[in-house]
Amino acid sequence: MLFTWQNRTNQLIEIQPIFSSPNPEQPNSEPPIGFNILVTPTSRFAMDGNGFHVGYETVTYKWIAYSKRELGIAGLPYLLSSWVVNPNEFEIESKDLPDEEEPIHQDDCEFKDDPDSFDNCDCAEFWNGYYPPDDDFFYQEIHSILESTNWVEAEFDPDTREWTLGYTSFNVNEYQTNQDYADSCNQDDGMPSFGSYC
Ligand SMILES: [Zn+2]
């Protein structure tokens, strides 16, 4: 299970709260019920069959962070992290790919006056234009990224009574003695990247 995504160089990560309100024009005052985590790894250099650069393949993948309270998951304090993500549960959110290139006849083809038919010649067979990879290719790419990811782990310092998880920290002493700190922690409720530092 994944608690915090550690950013790799050049990866674009966007976190969007999911609200239960069906009307986005009237967001309710309820806290988010989850988060969409949209990850766009570095754009791939796309080439055609002849090795010519034809553009970039940019794919955005989506994970969903669920509430640990809702799922009944204990373990780390909720105020450190109240959300959980299964790294193996993701989908392709969007793809921005170069246009697929249609085959063309070779210069010396006797059927080149008919650009839509390749029934009578073998030009299409030897055509090396770009065509987009299928989704399996992109799933494999993200799997290899996941395998090489350094997952951050939560740590507890018994001397300072401070929990740390990546860039997030939560001090138990402070929480028990400082009302303002406790209020801000409760307000944020262990959300990722929202509000003050808890
Ligand atoms: Zn031809």
Side-chain angles (χ1 to χ4, degrees):
M1 252 179 274
L2 158 73
F3 296 98
T4 299
W5 177 280
Q6 181 144 20
N7 198 353
R8 279 167 39 124
T9 313
N10 293 331
Q11 283 182 359
L12 197 84
I13 298 182
E14 191 184 341
I15 296 178
Q16 304 169 336
I18 305 169
F19 293 101
S20 60
S21 168
N23 183 357
E25 296 296 315
Q26 285 182 306
N28 58 22
S29 56
E30 298 289 310
I33 57 170
F35 292 89
N36 287 326
I37 301 174
L38 303 171
V39 180
T40 309
T42 314
S43 295
R44 282 172 43 83
F45 200 76
M47 288 184 292
D48 67 15
N50 291 318
F52 290 116
H53 176 218
V54 293
Y56 293 92
E57 295 162 345
T58 305
V59 180
T60 298
Y61 305 85
K62 182 174 85 176
W63 284 258
I64 295 179
Y66 298 99
S67 164
K68 277 159 60 180
R69 284 189 181 86
E70 298 266 320
L71 296 176
I73 296 176
L76 294 178
Y78 287 144
L79 289 176
L80 184 69
S81 158
S82 65
W83 305 91
V84 66
V85 173
N86 180 348
N88 293 318
E89 202 175 281
F90 62 91
E91 57 188 55
I92 291 177
E93 170 78 0
S94 63
K95 287 186 284 187
D96 183 9
L97 307 175
D99 289 335
E100 182 172 347
E101 292 178 301
E102 299 297 329
I104 52 172
H105 289 286
Q106 290 173 353
D107 287 343
D108 56 355
C109 176
E110 57 181 306
F111 301 100
K112 69 179 179 181
D113 292 336
D114 186 1
D116 294 324
S117 172
F118 296 89
D119 293 339
N120 301 312
C121 63
D122 54 10
C123 295
E125 251 172 82
F126 293 100
W127 170 245
N128 278 323
Y130 171 81
Y131 60 92
D134 58 22
D135 283 356
D136 279 354
F137 176 85
F138 296 115
Y139 281 112
Q140 278 171 21
E141 187 195 31
I142 205 72
H143 276 301
S144 73
I145 288 175
L146 288 170
E147 281 170 11
S148 64
T149 296
N150 292 319
W151 306 107
V152 279
E153 291 188 21
E155 289 169 17
F156 181 69
D157 183 334
D159 295 329
T160 60
R161 299 188 73 201
E162 178 138 307
W163 280 99
T164 307
L165 177 63
Y167 299 118
T168 304
S169 64
F170 164 61
N171 190 288
V172 179
N173 280 351
E174 189 83 359
Y175 184 79
Q176 288 169 343
T177 57
N178 181 338
Q179 190 59 46
D180 286 345
Y181 180 83
D183 288 347
S184 69
C185 290
N186 289 331
Q187 192 180 348
D188 289 343
D189 195 29
M191 288 185 205
S193 306
F194 273 72
S196 61
Y197 225 59
C198 270

